[in-house]
């Protein structure tokens, strides 16, 4: 995150160009499972591309389960669009040689930016156990990737502390280690209260971490799923959020409007505190993310560069 307070201007009154000047976004997708979900992913990519994101990233399934699909998606974005694709890569289920080979393959394909992660244990396993010949954690993975090539590297950060961490300081020490090992920026786990993020930034800066920390924004499409997932990843779900989605389980139209409003308010709160970069967990849907970006002042860029894809999918 770049922290930039518009000097002397109340955010609520600031002209739009002051608030949006220099704003950057990135979009996260997951690799599609079948032809139908591939088509909806590409529709989402097409709808979001004109916002000229800094990059679009593609996740790596838990336990390395989507390795081939992640590669295929990243390479398709690289080959068929003018967007900058970024590959997520985890340490799970593979030895160092195997992971280094994947990284070399990405470099050869022109992929220069990786989100380097430890990953979670495969389903059914309690607690993370590194592969016997593998990288033990994200910090080690970064060292390995940097030996392969001079990748730009982003890493994960946790405003509400990673569930495996012994505490706030240990989590910050780990983030610092990842940045010291060569990561250029951190992207946060999602959170809902802007204050949670802003307090985390204060703690990180006090710990001497000055790299950009970009807030990860999750527009809520299914509240029950968010509650379940948040229990696992340690994100808190405030009571006001539950109240917002109360009674909307069978009302998808209203739910969508509420979801856009909630996430837009969250982002506006951050924007008014000087945050001008956002990473959106799109869940392969363009509608909410596009609406939120619009409210933040972003407009499709005329003549957004796009390669002429044979299927005409790219803006
Ligand atoms: P690490 O930074 O290695 O740390 C994990 C925990 O271990 C922390 O608590 C840390 O403090 C502790 N730790 C690490 N090293 C040490 C040490 N030497 N001593 C003591 N404690 C240590 N998961 C996927 O499977 N695929 C994805 O594509 C994916 N993308 C993500 C994108 C973002 C932006 C975020 C925020 C998360 C993503 N995740 C993804 C989830 C991530 O893999 C999990 O949160 C995982 O449990 C931790 O990964 P990490 O890279 O943060 O781990």
């Amino acid at each position: 995150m770049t922290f930039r307070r518009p000097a002397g201007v109340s955010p609520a009154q600031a002209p739009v160009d002051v608030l949006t000047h220099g704003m950057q976004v990135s979009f996260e997708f997951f690799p599609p499972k079948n032809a139908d979900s591939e088509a909806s992913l590409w529709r989402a990519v097409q709808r979001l591309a004109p916002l000229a994101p800094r990059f679009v990233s593609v996740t790596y399934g838990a336990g390395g389960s989507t390795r081939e699909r992640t590669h295929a998606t990243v390479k398709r974005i690289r080959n068929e669009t003018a967007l900058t694709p970024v590959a997520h890569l985890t340490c799970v289920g593979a030895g160092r040689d195997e992971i280094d080979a994947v990284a070399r393959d990405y470099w050869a394909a022109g992929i220069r930016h990786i989100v380097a992660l430890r990953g979670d244990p495969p389903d059914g396993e309690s607690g993370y156990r590194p592969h016997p010949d593998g990288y033990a954690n994200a910090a080690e993975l970064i060292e390995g990737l940097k030996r392969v090539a001079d990748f730009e590297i982003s890493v994960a950060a946790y405003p509400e502390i990673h569930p495996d961490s012994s505490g706030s300081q240990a989590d910050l020490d780990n983030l610092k280690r990842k940045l010291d090992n060569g990561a250029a920026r951190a992207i946060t786990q999602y959170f809902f209260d802007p204050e949670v993020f802003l307090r985390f930034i204060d703690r990180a800066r006090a710990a001497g971490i000055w790299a950009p920390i970009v807030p990860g924004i999750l527009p809520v499409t299914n509240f029950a799923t968010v509650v379940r997932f948040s229990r696992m990843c340690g994100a808190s779900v405030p009571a006001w959020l539950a109240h917002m989605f109360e009674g909307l389980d069978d009302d998808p139209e209203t739910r969508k409007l509420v979801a856009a409003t909630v996430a837009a308010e969250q982002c506006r709160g951050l924007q008014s505190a000087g945050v001008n970069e956002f990473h959106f967990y799109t869940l392969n849907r363009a509608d909410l993310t596009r609406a939120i970006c619009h409210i933040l002042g972003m407009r499709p860029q005329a003549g957004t560069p796009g390669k002429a894809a044979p299927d005409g999918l790219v803006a």
Side-chain angles (χ1 to χ4, degrees):
M1 182 200 72
T2 316
F3 227 25
R4 193 185 54 79
R5 287 175 197 278
V9 186
S10 146
Q13 297 157 351
V16 164
D17 61 334
V18 169
L19 288 178
T20 61
H21 177 72
M23 204 170 84
Q24 295 266 12
V25 292
S26 51
F27 302 131
E28 183 172 310
F29 300 103
F30 59 84
K33 282 197 178 79
N34 53 39
D36 279 354
S37 56
E38 175 146 17
S40 56
L41 165 67
W42 284 92
R43 273 196 302 279
V45 169
Q46 179 190 28
R47 293 259 300 140
L48 292 171
L51 294 173
R54 181 198 279 269
F55 62 81
V56 297
S57 75
V58 182
T59 61
Y60 201 71
S65 56
T66 66
R67 179 186 300 193
E68 302 308 326
R69 284 185 277 131
T70 299
H71 291 191
T73 306
V74 166
K75 285 180 189 167
R76 185 171 175 195
I77 294 171
R78 160 88 184 152
N79 293 336
E80 298 185 19
T81 79
L83 297 167
T84 301
V86 172
H88 292 218
L89 188 57
T90 75
C91 310
V92 177
R96 289 172 181 233
D97 290 351
E98 223 175 322
I99 289 176
D100 291 357
V102 170
R104 271 193 295 276
D105 189 30
Y106 275 133
W107 188 266
I111 309 302
R112 297 288 181 262
H113 185 165
I114 287 185
V115 180
L117 303 143
R118 185 196 73 177
D120 287 314
D123 275 351
E125 279 186 30
S126 64
Y128 182 83
R129 263 189 302 278
H131 185 283
D133 307 317
Y135 293 112
N137 50 41
E140 279 194 8
L141 173 61
I142 295 160
E143 282 180 329
L145 291 172
K146 284 288 186 184
R147 278 193 295 270
V148 169
D150 190 19
F151 286 106
E152 180 177 345
I153 293 177
S154 296
V155 291
Y158 301 87
E160 297 180 270
I161 307 175
H162 188 277
D164 292 353
S165 185
S166 57
S168 169
Q169 191 53 49
D171 221 28
L172 284 172
D173 290 346
N174 182 54
L175 176 58
K176 193 158 189 321
R177 208 158 33 237
K178 295 193 282 189
L179 294 160
D180 288 347
N181 285 0
R185 82 175 53 68
I187 302 170
T188 74
Q189 182 60 277
Y190 68 82
F191 58 92
F192 295 105
D193 254 321
E195 275 303 308
V196 163
F197 176 80
L198 297 172
R199 282 198 302 267
F200 174 64
I201 293 298
D202 288 344
R203 289 200 305 278
R205 300 308 183 225
I209 294 171
W210 291 99
I213 300 176
V214 181
I217 305 296
L218 177 70
V220 175
T221 45
N222 181 323
F223 184 69
T225 306
V226 165
V227 170
R228 209 171 41 249
F229 193 71
S230 300
R231 258 185 230 123
M232 295 188 291
C233 73
S236 61
V237 179
W240 61 259
L241 191 70
H243 185 56
M244 286 286 173
F245 287 95
E246 192 183 323
L248 296 182
D249 289 354
D250 300 320
D251 185 354
E253 279 181 29
T254 309
R255 203 168 63 225
K256 195 194 274 192
L257 296 174
V258 169
T261 306
V262 164
E265 273 186 15
Q266 179 194 12
C267 292
R268 291 277 289 163
L270 293 168
Q271 196 180 38
S272 66
V275 176
N276 66 355
E277 184 160 2
F278 298 88
H279 180 79
F280 287 94
Y281 297 107
T282 70
L283 305 180
N284 290 9
R285 300 169 52 138
D287 45 6
L288 290 175
T289 299
R290 185 145 172 164
I292 298 157
C293 288
H294 186 94
I295 291 169
L296 289 176
M298 301 194 78
R299 298 293 178 267
Q301 307 278 299
T304 304
K307 285 181 193 163
D311 51 12
L313 276 177
V314 177

